[in-house]
Amino acid sequence: MINRIVTAATVAVFALAATAGAASAAQYAWVDQNAKVKAKPFNVAATVNTVFEGQKVKIIAENGNWVKIKIPGMDGWVKSGVLDYAPFPNNNPWPNNGNGQVCFNGQYGYICIGN
């Protein structure tokens, strides 16, 4: 029993270290509301793509209150107000699926430890 707890704790520490290193390499944000992605940081610029609430985006540039994002399809600009810079969507770093597991979110997915 003690070995399982120590093993689980070790995995958790490595998972946190791996996700912390990846997160420091680039800045990401979550889309708070559906928004049009513009070709340039202006309201009148052509719309080149769309982002949707809950989507994770990579921040690649900033210009005033506009943020350039890297997304599938054409990259472009959105107003910074449509983004949430929390490390996890809805500010929930420890999602629990109700069966005794603890899950750790990371840049490329998540890992769960428990039952």
Side-chain angles (χ1 to χ4, degrees), residues 28-76:
Y28 291 85
W30 302 94
V31 178
D32 266 348
Q33 59 190 355
N34 296 352
K36 294 177 181 178
V37 178
K38 300 291 188 168
K40 297 183 182 211
F42 306 106
N43 287 327
V44 294
T47 299
V48 295
N49 208 335
T50 305
V51 289
F52 300 97
E53 183 177 347
Q55 184 175 348
K56 187 176 184 179
V57 297
K58 183 177 181 180
I59 307 300
I60 55 177
E62 295 184 40
N63 183 356
N65 64 341
W66 289 87
V67 179
K68 188 169 187 180
I69 56 174
K70 181 163 188 61
I71 53 177
M74 223 167 166
D75 300 340

mmCIF file of all heavy atoms in Angstrom, residues 28-76:
data_model
loop_
_atom_site.group_PDB
_atom_site.id
_atom_site.type_symbol
_atom_site.label_atom_id
_atom_site.label_comp_id
_atom_site.label_asym_id
_atom_site.label_seq_id
_atom_site.Cartn_x
_atom_site.Cartn_y
_atom_site.Cartn_z
ATOM 1 N N TYR A 28 -0.252 30.451 -23.283
ATOM 2 C CA TYR A 28 -1.520 30.003 -23.830
ATOM 3 C C TYR A 28 -2.659 30.711 -23.118
ATOM 4 O O TYR A 28 -2.487 31.227 -22.014
ATOM 5 C CB TYR A 28 -1.677 28.481 -23.675
ATOM 6 C CG TYR A 28 -0.735 27.719 -24.562
ATOM 7 C CD1 TYR A 28 0.567 27.457 -24.159
ATOM 8 C CD2 TYR A 28 -1.137 27.286 -25.814
ATOM 9 C CE1 TYR A 28 1.448 26.781 -24.989
ATOM 10 C CE2 TYR A 28 -0.270 26.604 -26.646
ATOM 11 C CZ TYR A 28 1.025 26.355 -26.225
ATOM 12 O OH TYR A 28 1.886 25.684 -27.049
ATOM 13 N N ALA A 29 -3.814 30.714 -23.724
ATOM 14 C CA ALA A 29 -5.015 31.293 -23.122
ATOM 15 C C ALA A 29 -6.222 30.470 -23.561
ATOM 16 O O ALA A 29 -6.131 29.670 -24.493
ATOM 17 C CB ALA A 29 -5.178 32.745 -23.555
ATOM 18 N N TRP A 30 -7.333 30.685 -22.886
ATOM 19 C CA TRP A 30 -8.591 30.018 -23.203
ATOM 20 C C TRP A 30 -9.556 31.063 -23.742
ATOM 21 O O TRP A 30 -9.616 32.184 -23.247
ATOM 22 C CB TRP A 30 -9.187 29.366 -21.948
ATOM 23 C CG TRP A 30 -8.256 28.384 -21.336
ATOM 24 C CD1 TRP A 30 -7.359 28.616 -20.323
ATOM 25 C CD2 TRP A 30 -8.085 27.019 -21.702
ATOM 26 N NE1 TRP A 30 -6.664 27.475 -20.050
ATOM 27 C CE2 TRP A 30 -7.085 26.470 -20.864
ATOM 28 C CE3 TRP A 30 -8.694 26.200 -22.653
ATOM 29 C CZ2 TRP A 30 -6.679 25.152 -20.963
ATOM 30 C CZ3 TRP A 30 -8.282 24.878 -22.742
ATOM 31 C CH2 TRP A 30 -7.286 24.359 -21.903
ATOM 32 N N VAL A 31 -10.314 30.700 -24.743
ATOM 33 C CA VAL A 31 -11.290 31.615 -25.328
ATOM 34 C C VAL A 31 -12.522 31.638 -24.422
ATOM 35 O O VAL A 31 -13.103 30.600 -24.133
ATOM 36 C CB VAL A 31 -11.669 31.173 -26.761
ATOM 37 C CG1 VAL A 31 -12.723 32.095 -27.346
ATOM 38 C CG2 VAL A 31 -10.423 31.124 -27.647
ATOM 39 N N ASP A 32 -12.896 32.846 -23.958
ATOM 40 C CA ASP A 32 -14.050 33.017 -23.064
ATOM 41 C C ASP A 32 -15.372 33.110 -23.821
ATOM 42 O O ASP A 32 -16.422 32.814 -23.283
ATOM 43 C CB ASP A 32 -13.898 34.284 -22.232
ATOM 44 C CG ASP A 32 -13.263 34.025 -20.885
ATOM 45 O OD1 ASP A 32 -13.136 32.861 -20.497
ATOM 46 O OD2 ASP A 32 -12.893 35.004 -20.217
ATOM 47 N N GLN A 33 -15.315 33.579 -25.058
ATOM 48 C CA GLN A 33 -16.532 33.729 -25.860
ATOM 49 C C GLN A 33 -16.169 33.606 -27.333
ATOM 50 O O GLN A 33 -15.056 33.935 -27.718
ATOM 51 C CB GLN A 33 -17.199 35.071 -25.587
ATOM 52 C CG GLN A 33 -16.311 36.251 -25.887
ATOM 53 C CD GLN A 33 -16.893 37.558 -25.386
ATOM 54 O OE1 GLN A 33 -18.000 37.597 -24.885
ATOM 55 N NE2 GLN A 33 -16.161 38.639 -25.533
ATOM 56 N N ASN A 34 -17.087 33.104 -28.125
ATOM 57 C CA ASN A 34 -16.845 32.985 -29.562
ATOM 58 C C ASN A 34 -16.405 34.342 -30.108
ATOM 59 O O ASN A 34 -16.928 35.375 -29.693
ATOM 60 C CB ASN A 34 -18.102 32.536 -30.287
ATOM 61 C CG ASN A 34 -18.555 31.156 -29.870
ATOM 62 O OD1 ASN A 34 -17.878 30.446 -29.144
ATOM 63 N ND2 ASN A 34 -19.723 30.773 -30.320
ATOM 64 N N ALA A 35 -15.438 34.329 -31.023
ATOM 65 C CA ALA A 35 -14.944 35.599 -31.570
ATOM 66 C C ALA A 35 -14.431 35.404 -32.987
ATOM 67 O O ALA A 35 -13.947 34.329 -33.350
ATOM 68 C CB ALA A 35 -13.832 36.149 -30.687
ATOM 69 N N LYS A 36 -14.531 36.471 -33.771
ATOM 70 C CA LYS A 36 -13.962 36.487 -35.116
ATOM 71 C C LYS A 36 -12.472 36.778 -34.999
ATOM 72 O O LYS A 36 -12.060 37.621 -34.213
ATOM 73 C CB LYS A 36 -14.644 37.547 -35.968
ATOM 74 C CG LYS A 36 -16.102 37.251 -36.231
ATOM 75 C CD LYS A 36 -16.746 38.345 -37.018
ATOM 76 C CE LYS A 36 -18.222 38.025 -37.232
ATOM 77 N NZ LYS A 36 -18.910 39.088 -37.954
ATOM 78 N N VAL A 37 -11.680 36.084 -35.802
ATOM 79 C CA VAL A 37 -10.236 36.293 -35.845
ATOM 80 C C VAL A 37 -9.953 37.193 -37.051
ATOM 81 O O VAL A 37 -10.366 36.893 -38.167
ATOM 82 C CB VAL A 37 -9.483 34.946 -35.970
ATOM 83 C CG1 VAL A 37 -7.988 35.163 -36.054
ATOM 84 C CG2 VAL A 37 -9.831 34.034 -34.788
ATOM 85 N N LYS A 38 -9.269 38.282 -36.801
ATOM 86 C CA LYS A 38 -9.020 39.291 -37.833
ATOM 87 C C LYS A 38 -7.616 39.139 -38.422
ATOM 88 O O LYS A 38 -6.683 38.699 -37.747
ATOM 89 C CB LYS A 38 -9.176 40.697 -37.242
ATOM 90 C CG LYS A 38 -10.556 40.979 -36.674
ATOM 91 C CD LYS A 38 -11.572 41.064 -37.788
ATOM 92 C CE LYS A 38 -12.927 41.530 -37.304
ATOM 93 N NZ LYS A 38 -13.813 41.866 -38.392
ATOM 94 N N ALA A 39 -7.449 39.555 -39.680
ATOM 95 C CA ALA A 39 -6.159 39.490 -40.369
ATOM 96 C C ALA A 39 -5.156 40.472 -39.759
ATOM 97 O O ALA A 39 -3.957 40.211 -39.730
ATOM 98 C CB ALA A 39 -6.328 39.773 -41.851
ATOM 99 N N LYS A 40 -5.650 41.605 -39.260
ATOM 100 C CA LYS A 40 -4.821 42.646 -38.652
ATOM 101 C C LYS A 40 -5.503 43.118 -37.373
ATOM 102 O O LYS A 40 -6.699 42.891 -37.202
ATOM 103 C CB LYS A 40 -4.634 43.808 -39.630
ATOM 104 C CG LYS A 40 -3.901 43.395 -40.879
ATOM 105 C CD LYS A 40 -3.656 44.554 -41.794
ATOM 106 C CE LYS A 40 -2.967 44.009 -43.042
ATOM 107 N NZ LYS A 40 -2.076 44.895 -43.661
ATOM 108 N N PRO A 41 -4.778 43.776 -36.490
ATOM 109 C CA PRO A 41 -5.367 44.193 -35.209
ATOM 110 C C PRO A 41 -6.261 45.436 -35.315
ATOM 111 O O PRO A 41 -5.998 46.461 -34.679
ATOM 112 C CB PRO A 41 -4.136 44.436 -34.336
ATOM 113 C CG PRO A 41 -3.064 44.822 -35.284
ATOM 114 C CD PRO A 41 -3.333 44.037 -36.533
ATOM 115 N N PHE A 42 -7.314 45.328 -36.122
ATOM 116 C CA PHE A 42 -8.274 46.424 -36.307
ATOM 117 C C PHE A 42 -9.667 45.835 -36.446
ATOM 118 O O PHE A 42 -9.841 44.788 -37.067
ATOM 119 C CB PHE A 42 -7.954 47.240 -37.562
ATOM 120 C CG PHE A 42 -6.546 47.758 -37.612
ATOM 121 C CD1 PHE A 42 -5.615 47.171 -38.466
ATOM 122 C CD2 PHE A 42 -6.147 48.814 -36.813
ATOM 123 C CE1 PHE A 42 -4.307 47.635 -38.516
ATOM 124 C CE2 PHE A 42 -4.842 49.285 -36.860
ATOM 125 C CZ PHE A 42 -3.920 48.701 -37.712
ATOM 126 N N ASN A 43 -10.670 46.527 -35.940
ATOM 127 C CA ASN A 43 -12.059 46.054 -36.058
ATOM 128 C C ASN A 43 -12.495 45.901 -37.509
ATOM 129 O O ASN A 43 -13.276 45.006 -37.830
ATOM 130 C CB ASN A 43 -13.019 47.017 -35.345
ATOM 131 C CG ASN A 43 -12.926 46.907 -33.843
ATOM 132 O OD1 ASN A 43 -12.672 45.840 -33.312
ATOM 133 N ND2 ASN A 43 -13.130 48.016 -33.159
ATOM 134 N N VAL A 44 -11.985 46.762 -38.399
ATOM 135 C CA VAL A 44 -12.427 46.743 -39.798
ATOM 136 C C VAL A 44 -11.617 45.772 -40.666
ATOM 137 O O VAL A 44 -11.896 45.632 -41.851
ATOM 138 C CB VAL A 44 -12.384 48.160 -40.410
ATOM 139 C CG1 VAL A 44 -13.391 49.061 -39.732
ATOM 140 C CG2 VAL A 44 -10.987 48.745 -40.343
ATOM 141 N N ALA A 45 -10.625 45.102 -40.078
ATOM 142 C CA ALA A 45 -9.803 44.148 -40.842
ATOM 143 C C ALA A 45 -10.653 42.942 -41.256
ATOM 144 O O ALA A 45 -11.678 42.631 -40.636
ATOM 145 C CB ALA A 45 -8.611 43.694 -40.015
ATOM 146 N N ALA A 46 -10.202 42.269 -42.295
ATOM 147 C CA ALA A 46 -10.909 41.083 -42.798
ATOM 148 C C ALA A 46 -10.918 39.972 -41.753
ATOM 149 O O ALA A 46 -9.935 39.766 -41.031
ATOM 150 C CB ALA A 46 -10.226 40.586 -44.073
ATOM 151 N N THR A 47 -12.035 39.269 -41.661
ATOM 152 C CA THR A 47 -12.139 38.106 -40.779
ATOM 153 C C THR A 47 -11.531 36.907 -41.494
ATOM 154 O O THR A 47 -11.895 36.608 -42.633
ATOM 155 C CB THR A 47 -13.612 37.824 -40.430
ATOM 156 O OG1 THR A 47 -14.149 38.965 -39.755
ATOM 157 C CG2 THR A 47 -13.751 36.598 -39.560
ATOM 158 N N VAL A 48 -10.566 36.234 -40.827
ATOM 159 C CA VAL A 48 -9.869 35.111 -41.453
ATOM 160 C C VAL A 48 -10.152 33.764 -40.786
ATOM 161 O O VAL A 48 -9.800 32.719 -41.324
ATOM 162 C CB VAL A 48 -8.337 35.356 -41.485
ATOM 163 C CG1 VAL A 48 -8.008 36.549 -42.368
ATOM 164 C CG2 VAL A 48 -7.775 35.532 -40.096
ATOM 165 N N ASN A 49 -10.757 33.793 -39.595
ATOM 166 C CA ASN A 49 -10.999 32.560 -38.859
ATOM 167 C C ASN A 49 -11.971 32.875 -37.727
ATOM 168 O O ASN A 49 -12.361 34.023 -37.529
ATOM 169 C CB ASN A 49 -9.680 31.997 -38.312
ATOM 170 C CG ASN A 49 -9.685 30.495 -38.132
ATOM 171 O OD1 ASN A 49 -10.740 29.882 -37.970
ATOM 172 N ND2 ASN A 49 -8.504 29.899 -38.148
ATOM 173 N N THR A 50 -12.337 31.863 -36.966
ATOM 174 C CA THR A 50 -13.200 32.022 -35.800
ATOM 175 C C THR A 50 -12.659 31.154 -34.675
ATOM 176 O O THR A 50 -12.154 30.058 -34.927
ATOM 177 C CB THR A 50 -14.644 31.584 -36.129
ATOM 178 O OG1 THR A 50 -15.097 32.320 -37.267
ATOM 179 C CG2 THR A 50 -15.586 31.843 -34.985
ATOM 180 N N VAL A 51 -12.751 31.646 -33.435
ATOM 181 C CA VAL A 51 -12.422 30.837 -32.260
ATOM 182 C C VAL A 51 -13.691 30.680 -31.441
ATOM 183 O O VAL A 51 -14.601 31.506 -31.506
ATOM 184 C CB VAL A 51 -11.291 31.462 -31.418
ATOM 185 C CG1 VAL A 51 -9.961 31.355 -32.130
ATOM 186 C CG2 VAL A 51 -11.582 32.901 -31.039
ATOM 187 N N PHE A 52 -13.732 29.607 -30.668
ATOM 188 C CA PHE A 52 -14.943 29.271 -29.938
ATOM 189 C C PHE A 52 -14.666 29.158 -28.445
ATOM 190 O O PHE A 52 -13.566 28.783 -28.034
ATOM 191 C CB PHE A 52 -15.529 27.965 -30.476
ATOM 192 C CG PHE A 52 -15.872 28.056 -31.932
ATOM 193 C CD1 PHE A 52 -14.989 27.587 -32.897
ATOM 194 C CD2 PHE A 52 -17.060 28.653 -32.344
ATOM 195 C CE1 PHE A 52 -15.287 27.693 -34.246
ATOM 196 C CE2 PHE A 52 -17.364 28.757 -33.696
ATOM 197 C CZ PHE A 52 -16.485 28.284 -34.640
ATOM 198 N N GLU A 53 -15.678 29.460 -27.661
ATOM 199 C CA GLU A 53 -15.570 29.400 -26.213
ATOM 200 C C GLU A 53 -15.004 28.051 -25.773
ATOM 201 O O GLU A 53 -15.423 26.999 -26.257
ATOM 202 C CB GLU A 53 -16.956 29.601 -25.587
ATOM 203 C CG GLU A 53 -16.930 29.628 -24.075
ATOM 204 C CD GLU A 53 -18.300 29.905 -23.484
ATOM 205 O OE1 GLU A 53 -19.212 30.315 -24.221
ATOM 206 O OE2 GLU A 53 -18.444 29.698 -22.281
ATOM 207 N N GLY A 54 -14.004 28.097 -24.881
ATOM 208 C CA GLY A 54 -13.373 26.887 -24.366
ATOM 209 C C GLY A 54 -12.162 26.431 -25.154
ATOM 210 O O GLY A 54 -11.430 25.552 -24.717
ATOM 211 N N GLN A 55 -11.913 27.036 -26.315
ATOM 212 C CA GLN A 55 -10.783 26.647 -27.155
ATOM 213 C C GLN A 55 -9.478 27.176 -26.553
ATOM 214 O O GLN A 55 -9.409 28.294 -26.071
ATOM 215 C CB GLN A 55 -10.974 27.218 -28.556
ATOM 216 C CG GLN A 55 -9.923 26.818 -29.559
ATOM 217 C CD GLN A 55 -10.257 27.341 -30.963
ATOM 218 O OE1 GLN A 55 -11.353 27.805 -31.244
ATOM 219 N NE2 GLN A 55 -9.289 27.265 -31.840
ATOM 220 N N LYS A 56 -8.441 26.362 -26.594
ATOM 221 C CA LYS A 56 -7.117 26.770 -26.125
ATOM 222 C C LYS A 56 -6.348 27.351 -27.309
ATOM 223 O O LYS A 56 -6.329 26.756 -28.385
ATOM 224 C CB LYS A 56 -6.366 25.565 -25.555
ATOM 225 C CG LYS A 56 -5.050 25.909 -24.901
ATOM 226 C CD LYS A 56 -4.434 24.666 -24.276
ATOM 227 C CE LYS A 56 -3.172 24.983 -23.535
ATOM 228 N NZ LYS A 56 -2.590 23.776 -22.923
ATOM 229 N N VAL A 57 -5.722 28.520 -27.107
ATOM 230 C CA VAL A 57 -4.983 29.190 -28.174
ATOM 231 C C VAL A 57 -3.591 29.564 -27.676
ATOM 232 O O VAL A 57 -3.381 29.782 -26.495
ATOM 233 C CB VAL A 57 -5.730 30.450 -28.677
ATOM 234 C CG1 VAL A 57 -7.069 30.084 -29.288
ATOM 235 C CG2 VAL A 57 -5.912 31.475 -27.569
ATOM 236 N N LYS A 58 -2.664 29.643 -28.607
ATOM 237 C CA LYS A 58 -1.292 30.042 -28.288
ATOM 238 C C LYS A 58 -1.122 31.521 -28.627
ATOM 239 O O LYS A 58 -1.459 31.949 -29.724
ATOM 240 C CB LYS A 58 -0.293 29.209 -29.090
ATOM 241 C CG LYS A 58 1.155 29.519 -28.773
ATOM 242 C CD LYS A 58 2.081 28.605 -29.549
ATOM 243 C CE LYS A 58 3.530 28.895 -29.224
ATOM 244 N NZ LYS A 58 4.426 28.014 -29.977
ATOM 245 N N ILE A 59 -0.600 32.285 -27.680
ATOM 246 C CA ILE A 59 -0.356 33.712 -27.882
ATOM 247 C C ILE A 59 0.987 33.867 -28.590
ATOM 248 O O ILE A 59 2.007 33.373 -28.109
ATOM 249 C CB ILE A 59 -0.299 34.465 -26.528
ATOM 250 C CG1 ILE A 59 -1.530 34.175 -25.681
ATOM 251 C CG2 ILE A 59 -0.073 35.952 -26.749
ATOM 252 C CD1 ILE A 59 -2.828 34.561 -26.298
ATOM 253 N N ILE A 60 0.993 34.572 -29.735
ATOM 254 C CA ILE A 60 2.253 34.750 -30.462
ATOM 255 C C ILE A 60 2.664 36.213 -30.600
ATOM 256 O O ILE A 60 3.802 36.496 -30.963
ATOM 257 C CB ILE A 60 2.231 34.038 -31.835
ATOM 258 C CG1 ILE A 60 1.054 34.482 -32.686
ATOM 259 C CG2 ILE A 60 2.208 32.532 -31.649
ATOM 260 C CD1 ILE A 60 1.027 33.865 -34.086
ATOM 261 N N ALA A 61 1.751 37.146 -30.308
ATOM 262 C CA ALA A 61 2.106 38.571 -30.361
ATOM 263 C C ALA A 61 1.014 39.386 -29.679
ATOM 264 O O ALA A 61 -0.105 38.903 -29.484
ATOM 265 C CB ALA A 61 2.279 39.039 -31.802
ATOM 266 N N GLU A 62 1.361 40.611 -29.314
ATOM 267 C CA GLU A 62 0.392 41.529 -28.722
ATOM 268 C C GLU A 62 0.577 42.904 -29.344
ATOM 269 O O GLU A 62 1.692 43.294 -29.693
ATOM 270 C CB GLU A 62 0.567 41.590 -27.208
ATOM 271 C CG GLU A 62 0.246 40.277 -26.526
ATOM 272 C CD GLU A 62 0.333 40.349 -25.009
ATOM 273 O OE1 GLU A 62 -0.099 41.360 -24.438
ATOM 274 O OE2 GLU A 62 0.845 39.390 -24.426
ATOM 275 N N ASN A 63 -0.524 43.625 -29.484
ATOM 276 C CA ASN A 63 -0.495 44.977 -30.032
ATOM 277 C C ASN A 63 -1.639 45.748 -29.381
ATOM 278 O O ASN A 63 -2.789 45.612 -29.799
ATOM 279 C CB ASN A 63 -0.631 44.954 -31.551
ATOM 280 C CG ASN A 63 -0.533 46.333 -32.180
ATOM 281 O OD1 ASN A 63 -0.427 47.337 -31.493
ATOM 282 N ND2 ASN A 63 -0.579 46.372 -33.500
ATOM 283 N N GLY A 64 -1.332 46.535 -28.348
ATOM 284 C CA GLY A 64 -2.372 47.234 -27.603
ATOM 285 C C GLY A 64 -3.316 46.244 -26.958
ATOM 286 O O GLY A 64 -2.883 45.343 -26.250
ATOM 287 N N ASN A 65 -4.624 46.392 -27.234
ATOM 288 C CA ASN A 65 -5.586 45.450 -26.657
ATOM 289 C C ASN A 65 -5.931 44.312 -27.623
ATOM 290 O O ASN A 65 -6.934 43.638 -27.462
ATOM 291 C CB ASN A 65 -6.848 46.183 -26.195
ATOM 292 C CG ASN A 65 -7.614 46.822 -27.335
ATOM 293 O OD1 ASN A 65 -7.082 47.039 -28.423
ATOM 294 N ND2 ASN A 65 -8.868 47.129 -27.094
ATOM 295 N N TRP A 66 -5.079 44.099 -28.623
ATOM 296 C CA TRP A 66 -5.219 42.991 -29.562
ATOM 297 C C TRP A 66 -4.138 41.951 -29.296
ATOM 298 O O TRP A 66 -3.019 42.280 -28.911
ATOM 299 C CB TRP A 66 -5.095 43.478 -31.004
ATOM 300 C CG TRP A 66 -6.263 44.289 -31.468
ATOM 301 C CD1 TRP A 66 -6.434 45.630 -31.321
ATOM 302 C CD2 TRP A 66 -7.420 43.806 -32.147
ATOM 303 N NE1 TRP A 66 -7.621 46.017 -31.867
ATOM 304 C CE2 TRP A 66 -8.252 44.920 -32.389
ATOM 305 C CE3 TRP A 66 -7.829 42.554 -32.580
ATOM 306 C CZ2 TRP A 66 -9.473 44.803 -33.038
ATOM 307 C CZ3 TRP A 66 -9.043 42.440 -33.235
ATOM 308 C CH2 TRP A 66 -9.856 43.556 -33.455
ATOM 309 N N VAL A 67 -4.496 40.690 -29.519
ATOM 310 C CA VAL A 67 -3.577 39.577 -29.306
ATOM 311 C C VAL A 67 -3.567 38.714 -30.557
ATOM 312 O O VAL A 67 -4.627 38.329 -31.063
ATOM 313 C CB VAL A 67 -4.016 38.732 -28.091
ATOM 314 C CG1 VAL A 67 -3.088 37.552 -27.876
ATOM 315 C CG2 VAL A 67 -4.088 39.584 -26.838
ATOM 316 N N LYS A 68 -2.372 38.408 -31.067
ATOM 317 C CA LYS A 68 -2.268 37.496 -32.207
ATOM 318 C C LYS A 68 -2.187 36.079 -31.665
ATOM 319 O O LYS A 68 -1.401 35.784 -30.765
ATOM 320 C CB LYS A 68 -1.049 37.810 -33.070
ATOM 321 C CG LYS A 68 -1.039 37.011 -34.357
ATOM 322 C CD LYS A 68 0.008 37.485 -35.342
ATOM 323 C CE LYS A 68 -0.153 36.763 -36.673
ATOM 324 N NZ LYS A 68 0.837 37.199 -37.647
ATOM 325 N N ILE A 69 -3.010 35.197 -32.232
ATOM 326 C CA ILE A 69 -3.080 33.819 -31.745
ATOM 327 C C ILE A 69 -2.755 32.829 -32.852
ATOM 328 O O ILE A 69 -3.011 33.070 -34.017
ATOM 329 C CB ILE A 69 -4.473 33.516 -31.150
ATOM 330 C CG1 ILE A 69 -5.575 33.787 -32.165
ATOM 331 C CG2 ILE A 69 -4.695 34.300 -29.863
ATOM 332 C CD1 ILE A 69 -6.965 33.391 -31.710
ATOM 333 N N LYS A 70 -2.152 31.714 -32.441
ATOM 334 C CA LYS A 70 -1.869 30.598 -33.346
ATOM 335 C C LYS A 70 -2.950 29.560 -33.091
ATOM 336 O O LYS A 70 -3.126 29.096 -31.968
ATOM 337 C CB LYS A 70 -0.489 30.028 -33.069
ATOM 338 C CG LYS A 70 -0.126 28.893 -33.998
ATOM 339 C CD LYS A 70 1.363 28.649 -33.977
ATOM 340 C CE LYS A 70 1.777 27.653 -35.027
ATOM 341 N NZ LYS A 70 1.483 28.053 -36.382
ATOM 342 N N ILE A 71 -3.663 29.218 -34.151
ATOM 343 C CA ILE A 71 -4.770 28.275 -34.062
ATOM 344 C C ILE A 71 -4.798 27.420 -35.325
ATOM 345 O O ILE A 71 -4.138 27.757 -36.308
ATOM 346 C CB ILE A 71 -6.125 29.014 -33.908
ATOM 347 C CG1 ILE A 71 -6.291 30.066 -35.015
ATOM 348 C CG2 ILE A 71 -6.257 29.643 -32.538
ATOM 349 C CD1 ILE A 71 -7.604 30.798 -35.015
ATOM 350 N N PRO A 72 -5.542 26.309 -35.312
ATOM 351 C CA PRO A 72 -5.690 25.548 -36.545
ATOM 352 C C PRO A 72 -6.318 26.435 -37.627
ATOM 353 O O PRO A 72 -7.221 27.214 -37.362
ATOM 354 C CB PRO A 72 -6.638 24.409 -36.151
ATOM 355 C CG PRO A 72 -6.466 24.269 -34.674
ATOM 356 C CD PRO A 72 -6.193 25.662 -34.176
ATOM 357 N N GLY A 73 -5.822 26.332 -38.831
ATOM 358 C CA GLY A 73 -6.287 27.211 -39.905
ATOM 359 C C GLY A 73 -5.441 28.467 -39.909
ATOM 360 O O GLY A 73 -4.279 28.463 -39.508
ATOM 361 N N MET A 74 -6.047 29.557 -40.309
ATOM 362 C CA MET A 74 -5.322 30.810 -40.406
ATOM 363 C C MET A 74 -5.184 31.495 -39.043
ATOM 364 O O MET A 74 -6.157 31.645 -38.322
ATOM 365 C CB MET A 74 -6.042 31.739 -41.377
ATOM 366 C CG MET A 74 -5.113 32.437 -42.292
ATOM 367 S SD MET A 74 -6.049 33.188 -43.637
ATOM 368 C CE MET A 74 -4.763 34.226 -44.210
ATOM 369 N N ASP A 75 -3.948 31.880 -38.690
ATOM 370 C CA ASP A 75 -3.703 32.635 -37.461
ATOM 371 C C ASP A 75 -4.213 34.053 -37.649
ATOM 372 O O ASP A 75 -4.404 34.513 -38.776
ATOM 373 C CB ASP A 75 -2.207 32.689 -37.146
ATOM 374 C CG ASP A 75 -1.595 31.310 -36.946
ATOM 375 O OD1 ASP A 75 -2.343 30.365 -36.685
ATOM 376 O OD2 ASP A 75 -0.364 31.200 -37.056
ATOM 377 N N GLY A 76 -4.412 34.753 -36.544
ATOM 378 C CA GLY A 76 -4.865 36.128 -36.652
ATOM 379 C C GLY A 76 -4.989 36.795 -35.304
ATOM 380 O O GLY A 76 -4.440 36.329 -34.307
#
